[in-house]
Amino acid sequence: MRILFFCLMLPLVLLIFDVDIDLNSVPTILGVLVGIAGAIFTIMSIWVAFLYPNVLKTLRGENLVNADFSAGGEDTTRLKQIVSVIIQSALVMIFSVLALLAAASLDAFSYKVRWFIQAGVQFLVVYLCCVQVSALASTVVINYSFIDILEKHRKKRAKDHDA
């Protein structure tokens, strides 16, 4: 959650120093963001669907799979991270569409209103870029940690097999 607040820094700095993004590039940037968000959303949803199908069974005590979904368990933490990334990506998709609509309707407003919309769209685009980079980094970290855990279990199993 802290990273989302940290993501506010870059758009605020750009706003304070009056750095503008070319409005003609906004649809392209938002299109890329939606594409990345869709890919992350899909990847992480597959994680939830295939790796954690037994969460409810575990919580009810009916699961035979050795997974730790207790409040502080490793699997619970990973699941929370995955769901957080899914939510981030879904929000990037939603706000990208809203920013596209706002940018497309600029000509319908007076100069003063247009300036506020333009500044808002710019702020939102930069913020969404930071949020999406955060989601990508989280995806890499979650996948790397899973591979690391698999490797530790493989080594432990090999050690137990040798003994």
Side-chain angles (χ1 to χ4, degrees), residues 98-110:
L98 294 176
L100 277 171
L101 287 172
S105 66
L106 276 177
D107 293 335
F109 297 100
S110 68

Side-chain angles (χ1 to χ4, degrees), residues 20-21 23 106 111 113-123:
D20 290 330
I21 293 177
L23 272 183
L106 276 177
Y111 177 76
V113 174
R114 191 178 311 161
W115 183 88
F116 282 110
I117 293 173
Q118 194 170 348
V121 166
Q122 176 177 315
F123 184 88

Side-chain angles (χ1 to χ4, degrees), residues 42-112:
T42 302
I43 290 167
M44 297 312 240
S45 295
I46 290 170
W47 261 90
V48 171
F50 287 112
L51 296 178
Y52 297 101
N54 297 316
V55 174
L56 293 177
K57 285 183 179 180
T58 300
L59 293 175
R60 289 188 302 227
E62 302 169 1
N63 194 359
L64 300 177
V65 177
N66 186 17
D68 182 12
F69 287 108
S70 62
E74 183 177 293
D75 295 312
T76 301
T77 302
R78 186 177 301 112
L79 185 58
K80 285 179 182 178
Q81 291 171 336
I82 290 169
V83 171
S84 173
V85 169
I86 291 170
I87 291 169
Q88 282 178 339
S89 293
L91 290 173
V92 166
M93 286 187 222
I94 291 167
F95 284 106
S96 293
V97 169
L98 294 176
L100 277 171
L101 287 172
S105 66
L106 276 177
D107 293 335
F109 297 100
S110 68
Y111 177 76
K112 287 184 180 183

